[in-house]
Structures are given as C-alpha cells and as structure tokens.
Amino acid sequence: MSNFEIVKREDFSDVTYLLEVRHPLMARAARPGQFVIVMLNENGERIPLTIADFDRQAGTITLVVQAVGKTTREMQQACKTGTHLHALVGPMGVPSATTHAKKVVCVGGGLGVAPIYPQARALKENNAYVIGVLGFRNKDLVFWEQKFRAICDELIICTDDGSAGIKGLVTEGIKQAVARHSDIDEVVAIGPPIMMKGCADTTRPFGIRTMVSLNPLMVDGTGMCGGCRVKIGDEVKFACVDGPDFDGHRVDFDDLMRRLKRFTKEERLALEHWEKGCRLQKQIDAAAVSPGGGSE
Amino acid sequence: MLEQAPAARARNFQEVACGYRLEDALREAERCLLCPDRPCVAGCPVGIDIPGFIEKVGRKDLRGAYDILTDTNLLPAVCGRVCPQENQCEGVCTVGESLESVAIGRLERFVGDTAIREGWANIPYIEPNRYRVGIVGSGPAGMACAADMAKAGCDVTVYEAFHVPGGVLRYGIPDFRLPNEVIDAEIDNLKKFGVKFECNTLVGRLFTIEQMIGEMGYDAVFVGVGAGYPTGLGIPGDSLNGVLSANELLTRCNLMRAKEFPNFDTPIPLGRRVAVVGAGNTAMDAMRVCLRLGAEKVYCIYRRSRKEAPARLEEVHHAEEEGIEFNWLTNPVAVLDDGSGGVRGLRCVRMVLGEPDDSGRRRPVPIGGSEFDFECDIVVYAIGTNANPIMGQTSKLKLNKWGYIDTDDDLATSVAGVFAGGDIVTGAATVIEAMGAGRKAASSMKAYLGLRDPNLPYLVDADAGDRPFGIDRRERNFVRVRMAET
C-alpha cells in the first residue's frame, strides 16, 4: 500500500514543522477537514493530526506539526526526508462542506493555520468569496502567507504583538471582516479550543453560522473507543466519526478543554522519561567520540 | 485444569488457565461417551465434529484431532479459550445431564496449543480460480471468511484500520485470556493460505465498498467491521475525566500496551478504586485488567442479578476469585465530580427485579430512597455498543433502524456482491458467533461466485463414512493432503 515515506520536511519555527508523506491512495481520497492518525514507531502512541494539504498529482499528504508533547518532539527529531512513519491511517472524519457558502471567513490560529488552508482553497474553487484570518503570536511564526494570498480575496493577519498585520487575536480579524461585509454566510475556525471558543462567541451575536474543527484525544479514530466524545448541545458525539467539524455555537468548549487535560500528568511523565533517554544518548555519543579525538 | 492462584494472577498479565497436560487431556477425552445423537455438534455455531476430534485425542492422535478441528474451525486455540462453551457444546453435552459436561473447550484449546507449539498447519492444495475477494475488518468474522474463501481458491485481501491485524481478539480480549502469540500463530496460518493483510486501511474513507467492487476489481466483498461505538449511560457526570469506555481501557492496555507506559507511549488512566458498570465479558475483562494495573479495589455495578449477567460463568467466577466486589441489583444514577474535573465517586440506587421485559429477563426497577454514594476515581462503562457509522456514511449499504447493516438470511447486503456478518449485522455478540457468520457469508459468496462449496457435499454425505462416492474425504475437503499410502 504505502510505506509512509516522508518525502519533504520544512521547519517553520523552533516548534512548528511540516511533513509531506507519500501515500497516493490517501492523497486521492482526502477532502478538506479530514484528519489522519500517525504512529511514529512501534512503541509509539496514535496521535490525530489534521491533513494540512494533499497533492493528488504527487501522491502526497501534508501534515503540519507543533512540537508540544513527547511524541511530537520525538517526531521533530526523527522525521527527516527519507525516513518512514510506523503507521499512518486515514483520511478520517466527515469532510467539511465546501460547496454551499458564497462568502466565508476562514480563521486559522497557530497550528490551525495549516488545516484551514485546504478548506479555504476548496471554497475558492467553488467560487466563494474567501476572507482569510490568520493568527500568530508574532511575525517570526508566520507561515504560508503567500499560499493564502493566492486563494483568498482578502487576508487579515493578526499577531499578538502587532509585529505583522493587525495587533490582536483572530477574533479582532473576524470583527473587522464582519464590519466590512454584511453578507457573510459562514465562519470556519480551526485552532486551539480557546481560540475556537472565542470565534464562536464573536459570531454568536451576529447569528453567523460558525463551524469549528475539534481536536479531542483519540486512540483508534474509527468510533470504537469513545475517547474523543464531545458535547454538542444536549448530545454526545464522537469527533472521530461524527466530526471533527461541529457547529461552534453548540459545542461545549469547557468540556472539551477539561477532557484535553485527561493525561496531563502522564504526558509530563512521558516527556521526562524521553528527555532523560535523550540526555543519556547524548552522553554516550559524546563519550564515544571524545577519547580518540574525533574518529569520523 | 491448572490455573494460576487468584492472588498471584490478579497482579500479572500471564494467562489464568494454564491449559491441559497430555494426561489431563487423555483423562478428559475418556469421559466422552461418543454418543450417537451428538448434541454438541448441533450446539456448536460452526458445527465442529466434536466427538470425532475427542476420539482422536483419546487415541493420542493429536494431529488427527487437529485435522478434524480445522475442517470447520480455523482458530481452535482461540475458540477453545473464548467460546461460551457452557451455552453451546458443553451446555447440551449428554454426560452433562448427570455429571459435569465433557470439557470440550479445554480439549479444543489443548489441541490448538499443541498445533502452535509443533508448528502444524493444514495448508490445503489450493487451485486458484482468479476471483478476488476483499474482506473489511480482520477480526474473527473477517478471518473466518478469509480462510474459507482462500481455501476455495480466491485471491483474498483483508483490510484492517489498526496497525496490526486481529480486531477484537487483539484490542479487546486481554493477554491473560488470549495471549498475543496465539493470535499471531492463527494469523500466520491464514497467511500460509495466501491471505494478504493490509493494515492502516480505513475502508469507507480511504476507498469505499463501491470502489472495491468497481474500480478495484473485487468480485465479492465481506464486511465484518464489528460494532464499535460504545454507549454511555446518559447520567450526570458522564463526561468527567476518569469516565471511559471499556473499549478505550482495553485498547489502551492490550493493543497499545499502555500497561508498559512509559516505555510505550500510550498512557492509561490508573485508578485506586475503579467502578465498572456492566456484567458482560467485556466488563469482566475491564475489571480484571484494572486489578492487574494495580487498582486497590474494583467494583462491578450491575442492575440485574448474577443470574442475568451476560458474562460467561467462568469469567464471573474468575473475577470473584480475584477479589472483584460485585454489586448486583445496583444502578448508577450519577458520577460525582471531584471539583477539578475528575471523579470522586458514583451515586447508585438499589434495584429489584420486576416483571419480565421483551427480552424475557425480569426488568430491574429502582427501590425508592435506596440511593447511596461510594468512593471511586475511575468509572468504566461496559454496557454495550451502538453501530459504527462509517459504513453507513460512506456506502449505499442499506442499514436497519438501529444502524446495523441489513442483510438477508444468506448475509447478502443490499449491494450486489457485498456480504456482511458479525457484530456490524447482529450487534455485539461472541467471537465464535462472528466466526460462524464469516463462514456463512463465505458459503453465500461461493454460491454468488459460482464456486463449488466443499462443505456442502460433505454435510450431505455425512453418513457415507470416510469415502463417499469412493473419494477420500480429505481429498475433497482441503484438509491435509494425504501422503501416498501403500
């Protein structure tokens, strides 16, 4: 099928990196809004990552990863061009609807900038008027600006410190877009839960339909474990098979954020355990090299 | 049969039941009357020739016993361990009318384990027929169907969404009931039949069932994806951290090896006091896993009485021995918040059995004013599953009103060439029932493809002895090809 070879790696910053993985079948099947589950190695955990792009000609899918926990940091070290992932399964989840709206605000915050791209592109291909709103902490973390300019009718960059675009959160960008356009059909927001919550709160008074892409903890990604259950209005839904897109005005974000902390303690333990291993390895490497004075 | 002592085994993941030694097996085989009505065969979902294999065991012809088992059952080492024999073959055993039934399951396991140890495999002579068969899901239904179709000469590919094959045998049933080596051995046997396994493949999303029978060129497809989609109780506190499904707990522990965290990356919620809601086999597995992970106290909460518990008797018995505290006739009404998003305890109400309901079991009704709280930090739901929605979302397969795949009596779905069986058709059931469904679907697929079904004439000529129509049974039945006899 595919041996999940990484054909391209690009680093956006100290913590954010892009991986292009060869998987022709998946590149063909993927639709905006879907995600994959990745395992780095045999001992690894299964982590969900939203598909940031797919290239049907080249037969690749693109993932943009932020090194925040043990697995994503280990991937940052291990995933180089020419290496392989242990497992990659997808595309998972219900694709986003991209044909119904005439004027859409596509909001991406931090890591959410990458996965909002294929949605914005698909909306543009379906002749929608696309307003991009991208949020970063500062100028140095900005990526894919040109890529977005090529497909957006308007693009608003927001930074926390004002070093690029406007100063403020993405919600500020949404407010500007809403002030300029009275006929926005939909806002699509992808990013950290707190950001998506802010977006939903911003659009609620205007009654603009707001879709968000939820990122709860998952194991299988096929509806089997229920770890990714989220509260949508009065209902319990599984993000992996019923989502990941939901109506942001009905999502219980507080529940989502609480559930994301389920394994905080274990995550810290795993990171410490791994860092200890890394330090030991460094010492071993150093010891192996130093005595002879560099026998390369 | 030898078992690990409860106190010791409750702290390790080694197998509980150690299995027969040869002398145990011989003694047990002798107890079979070889009675003429053979109720056990009818009691077996796949119709194993039970007296036949037991007789071979009694004559120390274990290879012969294995040949008979593999005539009808691909996975003797698995089924010998996990079948609910007391409701099937052993439940109707003639000896059981007056004494303890013959331990058919244990004998089956003994033969299956011997085969694995000796490296036996009955690789039939297979004449390729150039039909391509796709199987969706590598659990017991898919494996059984794959075996039959491969034996019939089809080119079979099994697709699995996880990174390793085996389905519920792998992620669901813990090592102490079904060791991974046993599953590996049975899957290797399938590979020897020419069956190909493709993991990391989510059928429906990577490609659809329609694409399989269309552009991908499969002549027939079997869907055995299991039920999935665990249900919650819908009570206050359901979504607290510390409340999880048995599926999640077991998958983390068994498949992802979270019990070896942090050497394996997947974490598992460890509880000091764990309450498991439900009393089926999955509930028993979840409770016993929690004990082995180091829980001090594990409670079973079930709204009916022990008599109605759907778990196998042996499993309930093992759980009791290991110190699980059973709370029969008890129903949770709320999970209590510890103030920081975790679980502090469970509020329950005592129940009493009332009039029989639609299922014929007496309906439990709450006793007014009997509510009580007890302390626990993890709550595990093992109260069943709903239909997994992926097939319905991605194909034109007709579903029934509960979302399971609709089939006719031959397990054919509404799409020509597509068959389905196992939990995704019936809702959650047992491993052997899924295997039975996989074999039944295979039989229908063969009819659909116009292939001769080697099982059919053999069932019809059951009375014709070893050489019906003058043809040796073993030559028609794809079992071990006989060595030249002089």
Side-chain angles (χ1 to χ4, degrees):
Chain A
M1 182 141 298
S2 167
N3 54 11
F4 320 128
E5 185 190 348
I6 295 165
V7 294
K8 188 181 156 195
R9 150 99 181 229
E10 195 184 327
D11 286 77
F12 293 146
S13 71
D14 292 352
V15 288
T16 313
Y17 52 98
L18 170 150
L19 302 175
E20 222 173 276
V21 190
R22 204 176 141 65
H23 195 320
L25 258 184
M26 199 186 296
R28 227 181 96 195
R31 299 285 180 278
Q34 292 187 300
F35 65 95
V36 294
I37 282 193
V38 170
M39 268 177 92
L40 174 60
N41 52 44
E42 211 183 332
N43 295 8
E45 58 182 336
R46 294 167 66 90
I47 59 164
L49 295 169
T50 310
I51 299 174
D53 202 359
F54 41 87
D55 184 334
R56 302 207 165 120
Q57 252 87 49
T60 58
I61 62 144
T62 303
L63 306 171
V64 176
V65 191
Q66 205 163 24
V68 285
K70 189 258 173 181
T71 298
T72 46
R73 284 191 211 193
E74 193 177 4
M75 282 173 70
Q76 192 180 24
Q77 279 194 2
C79 294
K80 307 218 164 72
T81 307
T83 62
H84 302 260
L85 295 169
H86 179 67
L88 172 69
V89 58
M92 294 169 147
V94 181
S96 308
T98 51
T99 56
H100 59 295
K102 299 255 179 321
K103 193 176 270 188
V104 189
V105 182
C106 289
V107 189
L111 203 62
V113 169
I116 199 75
Y117 174 76
Q119 291 209 42
R121 184 179 59 188
L123 284 158
K124 189 69 218 162
E125 282 165 1
N126 287 304
N127 301 313
Y129 186 90
V130 178
I131 305 162
V133 175
L134 308 181
F136 301 95
R137 277 212 310 281
N138 59 53
K139 187 169 179 282
D140 296 334
L141 298 175
V142 175
F143 65 90
W144 282 9
E145 185 178 347
Q146 291 315 313
K147 228 174 139 154
F148 273 93
R149 289 223 182 270
I151 54 155
C152 290
D153 296 282
E154 291 175 37
L155 183 67
I156 305 170
I157 306 258
C158 314
T159 50
D160 294 1
D161 58 0
S163 55
I166 63 169
K167 184 171 182 320
L169 304 172
V170 288
T171 45
E172 202 49 48
I174 297 174
K175 280 179 197 156
Q176 286 195 7
V178 173
R180 285 206 291 272
H181 302 271
S182 58
D183 54 345
I184 293 168
D185 301 312
E186 187 173 296
V187 171
V188 185
I190 308 182
I194 189 75
M195 180 213 98
M196 294 191 283
K197 186 184 185 200
C199 294
D201 289 344
T202 307
T203 58
R204 192 174 278 120
F206 300 99
I208 303 170
R209 180 180 148 92
T210 300
M211 296 304 287
V212 294
S213 174
L214 302 188
N215 55 349
L217 302 179
M218 291 184 189
V219 184
D220 61 303
T222 62
M224 193 273 290
C225 85
C228 67
R229 62 186 189 272
V230 288
K231 278 189 190 165
I232 311 295
D234 300 332
E235 290 175 289
V236 174
K237 295 279 183 189
F238 290 1
C240 65
V241 289
D242 301 320
D245 291 358
F246 294 99
D247 177 353
H249 292 152
R250 301 180 62 228
V251 171
D252 184 341
F253 284 103
D254 297 333
D255 182 72
L256 173 70
M257 287 186 272
R258 195 189 61 225
R259 289 189 51 78
L260 279 169
K261 293 190 193 130
R262 272 178 78 192
F263 293 106
T264 313
K265 201 176 77 200
E266 287 83 356
E267 281 161 9
R268 203 174 48 236
L269 237 162
L271 193 59
E272 280 164 12
H273 181 79
W274 175 69
E275 281 173 341
K276 201 171 126 199
C278 288
R279 278 198 301 276
L280 278 172
Q281 190 58 48
K282 260 189 197 153
Q283 285 169 10
I284 293 168
D285 292 349
V289 169
S290 59
S295 53
E296 278 146 275
Chain B
M1 182 160 50
L2 276 175
E3 283 179 356
Q4 279 196 73
R9 72 182 190 231
R11 300 288 156 193
N12 69 47
F13 279 88
Q14 308 295 316
E15 228 184 334
V16 168
C18 306
Y20 277 160
R21 294 159 301 179
L22 179 63
E23 58 267 34
D24 303 324
L26 293 176
R27 194 179 320 117
E28 193 61 28
E30 206 136 283
R31 297 183 59 235
C32 176
L33 301 175
L34 302 173
C35 59
D37 10 326
R38 305 153 60 94
C40 50
V41 180
C44 172
V46 295
I48 294 175
D49 175 8
I50 291 166
F53 99 81
I54 292 182
E55 191 192 359
K56 297 275 188 192
V57 172
R59 287 200 255 132
K60 293 192 196 172
D61 176 8
L62 299 183
R63 178 69 204 226
Y66 181 66
D67 291 351
I68 291 180
L69 280 171
T70 50
D71 263 5
T72 42
N73 183 7
L74 168 72
L75 313 169
V78 173
C79 293
R81 286 174 168 83
V82 302
C83 269
Q85 288 102 4
E86 66 272 21
N87 303 327
Q88 298 175 350
C89 51
E90 294 177 18
V92 291
C93 172
T94 308
V95 177
E97 285 168 19
S98 42
L99 302 162
E100 199 171 327
S101 300
V102 176
I104 299 166
R106 290 171 180 183
L107 286 168
E108 183 185 20
R109 171 184 162 179
F110 171 71
V111 176
D113 284 353
T114 307
I116 291 174
R117 203 172 48 245
E118 300 289 328
W120 294 339
N122 282 334
I123 311 303
Y125 168 71
I126 294 171
E127 178 89 38
N129 59 25
R130 288 184 299 183
Y131 282 121
R132 295 184 61 222
V133 170
I135 310 260
V136 186
S138 66
M143 280 162 78
C145 187
D148 278 8
M149 296 316 285
K151 284 184 196 170
C154 299
D155 176 5
V156 180
T157 306
V158 181
Y159 293 105
E160 164 61 44
F162 268 128
H163 50 285
V164 279
V168 72
L169 305 178
R170 185 80 68 177
Y171 74 75
I173 302 176
D175 291 4
F176 56 84
R177 277 221 289 141
L178 179 62
N180 270 327
E181 303 81 70
V182 174
I183 310 169
D184 291 338
E186 306 282 24
I187 286 171
D188 281 346
N189 266 347
L190 270 181
K191 289 183 181 161
K192 288 180 195 155
F193 286 11
V195 174
K196 293 177 287 260
F197 285 87
E198 291 277 5
C199 292
N200 295 301
T201 307
L202 180 59
V203 176
R205 291 291 175 200
L206 189 60
F207 46 78
T208 62
I209 298 287
E210 280 84 356
Q211 278 175 293
M212 287 179 78
I213 50 174
E215 62 195 81
M216 291 171 76
Y218 284 107
D219 299 290
V221 168
F222 173 73
V223 181
V225 296
Y229 216 94
T231 44
L233 278 169
I235 58 175
D238 248 357
S239 74
L240 288 172
N241 293 347
V243 181
L244 73 162
S245 73
N247 273 7
E248 181 180 350
L249 178 90
L250 293 171
T251 305
R252 284 181 183 274
C253 183
N254 303 336
L255 177 78
M256 304 308 296
R257 299 169 68 179
K259 57 179 180 278
E260 292 162 68
F261 178 87
N263 293 323
F264 281 72
D265 289 343
T266 304
I268 197 158
L270 292 178
R272 215 163 51 75
R273 290 162 164 266
V274 182
V276 177
V277 184
N281 289 320
T282 309
M284 301 303 144
D285 287 346
M287 289 182 253
R288 297 170 68 197
V289 159
C290 288
L291 265 190
R292 284 157 176 78
L293 289 170
E296 285 166 21
K297 196 76 205 163
V298 179
Y299 306 93
C300 172
I301 311 292
Y302 184 56
R303 61 197 179 118
R304 301 178 197 256
S305 69
R306 190 178 194 272
K307 215 174 97 219
E308 286 84 16
R312 293 185 59 195
L313 277 176
E314 182 178 314
E315 302 304 327
V316 179
H317 175 67
H318 278 151
E320 283 172 340
E321 277 185 345
E322 289 171 15
I324 307 286
E325 187 183 312
F326 283 85
N327 290 270
W328 306 110
L329 292 163
T330 307
N331 204 28
V333 290
V335 186
L336 307 173
D337 193 336
D338 68 357
S340 58
V343 173
R344 155 169 81 82
L346 195 60
R347 179 161 299 157
C348 294
V349 63
R350 297 285 184 206
M351 311 290 279
V352 65
L353 291 179
E355 294 302 307
D357 62 11
D358 299 341
S359 71
R361 296 183 297 181
R362 291 174 65 191
R363 186 195 305 275
V365 277
I367 302 172
S370 68
E371 287 190 11
F372 67 101
D373 295 353
F374 71 92
E375 192 194 318
C376 62
D377 42 18
I378 295 284
V379 176
V380 180
Y381 286 173
I383 51 174
T385 55
N386 288 326
N388 188 298
I390 295 178
M391 283 298 134
Q393 288 168 345
T394 59
S395 74
K396 295 189 185 72
L397 292 177
K398 197 172 155 237
L399 307 179
N400 67 19
K401 64 177 171 176
W402 298 282
Y404 294 105
I405 296 176
D406 215 6
T407 66
D408 64 12
D409 291 344
D410 297 325
L411 298 180
T413 69
S414 59
V415 176
V418 181
F419 298 78
D423 284 6
I424 193 58
V425 172
T426 56
T430 60
V431 168
I432 189 71
E433 282 168 301
M435 289 183 56
R439 299 207 69 210
K440 189 171 167 190
S443 170
S444 304
M445 284 165 107
K446 287 182 229 172
Y448 171 78
L449 296 171
L451 298 171
R452 192 175 61 90
D453 192 334
N455 295 316
L456 291 179
Y458 153 30
L459 290 178
V460 174
D461 316 329
D463 296 335
D466 239 13
R467 291 179 69 83
F469 305 117
I471 305 168
D472 191 291
R473 198 180 113 235
R474 281 172 287 190
E475 281 168 22
R476 291 193 298 127
N477 199 33
F478 299 122
V479 188
R480 189 155 59 120
V481 177
R482 207 154 53 111
M483 305 303 286
E485 278 176 22
T486 45

